[in-house]
Amino acid sequence: MPNFRTLGASAFATATGLALVGTAFTGTGTAEAAPASLYAPSALVLTIGEGAHPATAAVVRAVTLSCAPTPSGSHPAPEAACAELAAADGDFTSLTVLREGRPCTREWNPVTITGGGVWQGRRVTWSATYGNPCELRARTADGAVFMF
């Protein structure tokens, strides 16, 4: 015969655990309901920096870009940037293809761009370095993602 006292405690613990799914604990030890979302998070930080390496480049400009549930952030054109990223399935490399007919000097003045954060629920970290600002514009001028 089952021990109802133990069964009752077990059922209470299970019910309590299930009730806490989807809640967030505050610093005071109380639980608050977390907002539910049907969209996978897409929140990025995009930077343009002077230097040859992402870790040491001096950031000149940086913006935030959130694409779900609606485009927003400090990016000047979040709707266009989110649409480009969605069309590229979050692949930054495909957004920086060299455009024909854009001549640049061969001066070495490296510029590094980065994209990091979460795209459709998965963590992303991306960077690319170009020889100079002209080369960067030759690769990104037709797009909105790195136009800030």
Side-chain angles (χ1 to χ4, degrees):
M1 178 165 189
N3 181 339
F4 288 105
R5 178 176 229 167
T6 305
L7 182 59
S10 174
F12 175 76
T14 301
T16 302
L18 290 174
L20 292 176
V21 172
T23 61
F25 288 98
T26 65
T28 60
T30 60
E32 296 176 0
S37 174
L38 299 175
Y39 303 97
S42 291
L44 303 164
V45 174
L46 308 172
T47 68
I48 298 175
E50 295 175 344
H53 193 275
T56 58
V59 175
V60 177
R61 293 186 300 276
V63 296
T64 59
L65 179 65
S66 179
C67 294
T70 60
S72 63
S74 63
H75 193 287
E79 294 85 4
C82 288
E84 284 180 14
L85 279 166
D89 195 27
D91 178 17
F92 287 100
T93 302
S94 69
L95 300 174
T96 58
V97 176
L98 183 61
R99 310 303 195 264
E100 295 297 322
R102 295 190 186 263
C104 288
T105 63
R106 295 285 186 189
E107 98 185 274
W108 181 246
N109 182 14
V111 178
T112 299
I113 57 177
T114 66
V118 178
W119 176 256
Q120 295 184 348
R122 70 181 188 270
R123 178 85 173 110
V124 293
T125 302
W126 178 87
S127 67
T129 300
Y130 302 101
N132 56 54
C134 178
E135 198 177 306
L136 169 65
R137 284 189 305 277
R139 292 183 176 266
T140 62
D142 295 335
V145 175
F146 288 101
M147 291 315 250
F148 54 88

